[in-house]
Amino acid sequence: LMSKFAHTREELDFDLYVKEGDAPIEPAYDPKCDLITNGCEPVAIISADKLRDYDEGPAETAAIAEVLMNDARTGKYVIAKEAWDCIWE
């Protein structure tokens, strides 16, 4: 997936990568988190599918921005709330 810059919605279809009858995907701790001071801890679950959808994307973008804005390390870099919807126009 990472070798190509952009993919169509069809190319990103979940069913292309996880087939019916496959073992369920278990949550896993990213080993790279051990390299980060104090480790990693998930703060939100996001959907890449929603981010690509013009109806659900703005709300998913806002959810991500809220998490980043409320973190002292990243909050000062997040654009103003008033501008969040403009990326979808």
Side-chain angles (χ1 to χ4, degrees):
L1 282 177
M2 299 306 291
S3 63
K4 187 176 172 185
F5 176 71
H7 297 276
T8 65
R9 179 175 288 282
E10 292 76 23
E11 290 173 316
L12 294 173
D13 192 302
F14 182 78
D15 293 332
L16 290 177
Y17 302 95
V18 179
K19 303 290 183 202
E20 187 175 330
D22 282 354
I25 298 172
E26 298 296 326
Y29 186 79
D30 187 335
K32 291 181 182 176
C33 288
D34 291 335
L35 304 173
I36 298 172
T37 306
N38 299 325
C40 296
E41 187 175 311
V43 294
I45 297 173
I46 64 166
S47 167
D49 290 333
K50 288 182 179 180
L51 281 173
R52 293 179 51 89
D53 184 276
Y54 281 94
D55 293 323
E56 297 182 282
E60 196 72 358
T61 300
I64 294 167
E66 286 284 351
V67 169
L68 294 173
M69 197 162 75
N70 292 322
D71 186 304
R73 299 166 295 176
T74 56
K76 62 185 174 184
Y77 302 107
V78 178
I79 62 174
K81 264 186 178 179
E82 298 78 27
W84 295 353
D85 285 337
C86 76
I87 65 172
W88 291 95
E89 295 173 358

